[in-house]
């Protein structure tokens, strides 16, 4: 959903806080007014817009983009409802100013656009995973609109993005590390709803972002693997703006608390290949 630049809409959009990557009301509002007049299409792919000096990053993204979009659409059972637009930046500071994300983030979706930081140049092995992770967010946000998307619990959309991207955004935490922490009680607790203005994040549970994303991806993987058809119904219900708790109940005929307990007590966490470890095989 692309909103006009009327101040009322800017405030409403900023109030969602765009929880991904630590966006705040002030940073998002500031990002809204940043000019992009100097950005050009510096690759043959017209979906990528480059800040002068960001050509290396843009050219690294271009050959990955079509496949990354296809992976997200297949995994999330939905096509992008609007054209994908990606901005690349020549500095972390410019990325942060234009996206509203914290300066150390590698990517962020805000205002219906995907923004990528040159931080990715230092970790080329992360590039495709981060791209798919952010496209997962964008796909859902474009279907729902920014305000409705911001009310989906962060553990779900972060877990979904990490699951779909085969661990993108959680590279420093292995499935095994996350499993041990889950079983030891060092874990997040999945909420059924989220107050858009004050979304929960990794720090809400005393976790690092990568641990939070990996644990959430494992639970999302469990939701997918335990009943793939229910998982598809869930994504369609969420995209239709049915409240998250109702979407869970309608899709699984079971509430979230029950599903969480089944996840923690199941053999799923002991299996050597599951969740993000096997997502590429399962979705192809």
């Amino acid at each position: 959903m692309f909103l006009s630049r009327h101040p009322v809409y800017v405030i409403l959009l900023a109030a969602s806080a765009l929880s991904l990557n630590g966006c705040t009301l002030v940073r998002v509002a500031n990002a809204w007014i940043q000019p992009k007049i100097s950005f050009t299409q510096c690759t043959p792919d017209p979906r990528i817009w480059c800040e002068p000096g960001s050509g290396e990053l843009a050219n690294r993204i271009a050959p990955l983009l079509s496949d990354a979009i296809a992976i997200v659409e297949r995994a999330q059972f939905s096509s992008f409802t609007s054209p994908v637009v990606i901005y690349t930046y020549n500095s972390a500071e410019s990325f942060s100013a234009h996206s509203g994300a914290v300066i150390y983030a590698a990517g962020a979706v805000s205002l219906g656009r995907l923004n990528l930081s040159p931080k990715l140049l230092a970790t080329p092995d992360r590039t495709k995973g981060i791209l798919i992770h952010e496209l997962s967010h964008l796909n859902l946000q474009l279907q729902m609109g920014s305000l409705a998307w911001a009310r989906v619990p962060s553990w779900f959309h972060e877990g979904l993005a990490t699951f779909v991207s085969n661990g993108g955004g959680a590279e420093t935490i292995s499935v095994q590390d996350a499993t041990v922490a889950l079983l030891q009680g060092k874990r997040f607790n999945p909420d059924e709803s989220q107050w858009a203005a004050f979304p929960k994040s990794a720090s809400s549970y005393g976790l690092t972002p990568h641990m939070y994303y990996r644990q959430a991806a494992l639970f999302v993987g469990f939701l997918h693997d335990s009943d793939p058809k229910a998982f598809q119904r869930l994504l369609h219900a969420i995209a239709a703006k049915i409240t998250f708790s109702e979407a869970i109940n309608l899709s699984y005929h079971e509430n979230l608390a029950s599903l969480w307990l089944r996840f923690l007590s199941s053999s799923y966490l002991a299996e050597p290949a599951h969740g993000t470890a096997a997502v590429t095989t399962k979705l192809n």
Side-chain angles (χ1 to χ4, degrees):
M1 179 172 70
F2 305 114
L3 302 179
S4 75
R5 290 183 178 269
H6 190 284
V8 172
Y9 289 116
V10 174
I11 292 170
L12 287 173
L13 183 59
S16 73
L18 293 178
S19 61
L20 178 63
N21 291 322
C23 294
T24 67
L25 187 150
V26 173
R27 285 200 297 270
V28 173
N30 183 61
W32 185 262
I33 64 173
Q34 295 297 313
K36 288 189 173 69
I37 192 170
S38 65
F39 285 66
T40 61
Q41 295 175 323
C42 69
T43 77
D45 194 319
R47 296 169 291 192
I48 302 174
W49 288 83
C50 320
E51 185 176 35
S54 68
E56 182 180 356
L57 176 59
N59 280 287
R60 183 173 295 176
I61 295 299
L64 306 175
L65 184 53
S66 292
D67 186 49
I69 288 173
I71 288 171
V72 170
E73 291 184 331
R74 186 164 59 249
Q76 298 184 186
F77 313 104
S78 59
S79 299
F80 283 83
T81 58
S82 298
V84 171
V85 178
I86 297 177
Y87 289 105
T88 59
Y89 298 91
N90 62 28
S91 71
E93 291 79 9
S94 182
F95 159 78
S96 179
H98 283 86
S99 68
V102 290
I103 198 168
Y104 54 78
V109 171
S110 60
L111 313 177
R113 302 290 190 265
L114 197 163
N115 305 275
L116 293 173
S117 170
K119 178 181 178 181
L120 285 171
L121 293 173
T123 54
D125 55 319
R126 299 183 68 209
T127 302
K128 188 170 184 178
I130 293 297
L131 178 62
I132 296 171
H133 182 114
E134 300 302 338
L135 284 167
S136 169
H137 289 308
L138 181 63
N139 175 269
L140 196 58
Q141 189 180 116
L142 289 175
Q143 291 181 72
M144 303 180 69
S146 297
L147 295 177
W149 176 81
R151 290 192 290 269
V152 175
S154 67
W155 69 263
F156 181 80
H157 60 69
E158 293 295 0
L160 177 66
T162 306
F163 175 73
V164 168
S165 63
N166 197 19
E171 298 88 353
T172 65
I173 299 294
S174 68
V175 169
Q176 291 72 24
D177 292 337
T179 297
V180 170
L182 280 162
L183 296 177
Q184 290 179 343
K186 301 172 184 176
R187 60 190 183 227
F188 78 100
N189 292 304
D191 294 311
E192 292 187 337
S193 62
Q194 175 164 277
W195 189 15
F198 297 100
K200 288 188 175 180
S201 63
S203 61
S204 304
Y205 307 100
L207 303 175
T208 65
H210 283 206
M211 178 62 80
Y212 178 48
Y213 291 2
R214 185 70 78 175
Q215 288 187 3
L218 283 171
F219 185 38
V220 170
F222 171 78
L223 294 176
H224 174 276
D225 293 354
S226 64
D227 191 337
K229 291 188 180 299
F231 188 75
Q232 183 173 357
R233 291 194 297 268
L234 174 63
L235 288 179
H236 286 158
I238 291 170
K241 302 182 185 180
I242 295 173
T243 63
F244 186 77
S245 60
E246 185 178 0
I248 285 282
N249 289 329
L250 288 173
S251 301
Y252 286 88
H253 309 294
E254 189 174 356
N255 63 34
L256 182 61
S258 175
L259 287 165
W260 178 243
L261 288 175
R262 280 210 292 122
F263 165 66
L264 293 176
S265 61
S266 71
S267 61
Y268 182 82
L269 291 177
E271 294 172 7
H274 62 284
T276 56
V279 66
T280 302
T281 300
K282 291 173 181 176
L283 297 177
N284 287 336

